[in-house]
Amino acid sequence: MPKKKSKYNKHKVKRLREKIRQSADHPPMNRKNREMSGLERIFADLLDDLKIEYEREKPLKYMQGWRYYDFHLIGHGILIEVDGSYWHGDDRKPSYVTMMAKKNDYTKNFLAKMRGYELIRVKEKELTGDYDMVKENISQRVGKQNL
C-alpha cells in the first residue's frame, strides 16, 4: 500500500509558524471596513465639520487580544468612544449586557491611560441632545493639545 502524502511539508510549516509569529503584533481583522452605527456617523460628521483628521476603529493590544476604540484623533493623542444607550445602559435597570459593557469600558479606560492616550467618552444622550456642546468640547480639547 502506498504511503499517504501529507499536505504539509517542512517549508509550509515554517511559513505558517512565521505568519503566526508576525500576526501576534497585528490585529486579527480590519474593523475599519465595518459599517458605522448611526451615532458613529453623526460623530464622524462632527469631526469632519471641525476638520479634524481621525482614524476609525483604533486597535490597542491588550493581553492576548485587542481592544478597539471608535475614533483616534491623529496627532492629538486622543481616543473617543461613542457610547450608545442600549449597550451602555443610560437610565435602565442593570442587565448582564450593561454589566459586561461596563467591564469592557473600565478595561478600555485603563488601557488608554496606560498607553498615554486621553480617552473621551461621548454618551448618546449628549450627542443627540446637545450636539453643539459636544462639538465645542471636542474643539477645546483638540485646541489644548496643540498648545
Side-chain angles (χ1 to χ4, degrees):
M1 183 169 196
K3 189 176 176 184
K4 189 174 181 183
K5 193 170 184 179
S6 173
K7 63 180 178 177
Y8 298 106
N9 63 33
K10 187 166 73 173
H11 299 292
K12 283 185 179 181
V13 170
K14 188 176 180 180
R15 279 195 304 257
L16 183 61
R17 283 186 180 149
E18 184 60 33
K19 196 181 233 184
I20 290 170
R21 211 174 292 120
Q22 288 175 353
S23 70
D25 296 333
H26 300 289
M29 63 181 140
N30 186 354
R31 291 177 42 151
K32 292 176 186 174
N33 297 330
R34 180 182 66 84
E35 189 174 332
M36 281 195 261
S37 71
L39 290 175
E40 289 172 343
R41 211 169 291 115
I42 291 170
F43 198 81
D45 291 343
L46 180 145
L47 293 175
D48 290 338
D49 287 347
L50 293 172
K51 295 179 178 37
I52 297 173
E53 191 177 350
Y54 63 89
E55 171 186 11
R56 285 190 53 236
E57 298 294 334
K58 170 72 174 173
L60 290 182
K61 181 89 167 127
Y62 178 71
M63 297 173 88
Q64 281 81 32
W66 297 86
R67 293 292 187 262
Y68 294 87
Y69 294 84
D70 294 334
F71 296 96
H72 168 230
L73 305 186
I74 298 172
H76 300 288
I78 297 175
L79 297 172
I80 297 176
E81 279 288 296
V82 182
D83 295 340
S85 60
Y86 178 79
W87 292 107
H88 297 273
D90 292 346
D91 303 329
R92 292 191 314 153
K93 292 181 184 177
S95 69
Y96 179 75
V97 170
T98 57
M99 289 187 323
M100 293 310 290
K102 285 215 182 288
K103 180 181 172 189
N104 189 40
D105 290 347
Y106 289 133
T107 303
K108 283 183 164 185
N109 294 347
F110 170 77
L111 182 59
K113 186 175 182 178
M114 294 310 293
R115 297 290 171 87
Y117 289 99
E118 178 185 355
L119 179 63
I120 300 173
R121 289 196 170 275
V122 179
K123 300 237 179 247
E124 178 178 0
K125 197 183 285 187
E126 296 170 353
L127 191 58
T128 57
D130 200 353
Y131 179 85
D132 293 331
M133 188 266 311
V134 172
K135 190 173 181 178
E136 181 63 29
N137 185 18
I138 297 299
S139 178
Q140 287 177 354
R141 294 274 182 92
V142 169
K144 285 182 188 176
Q145 294 286 328
N146 289 335
L147 296 177

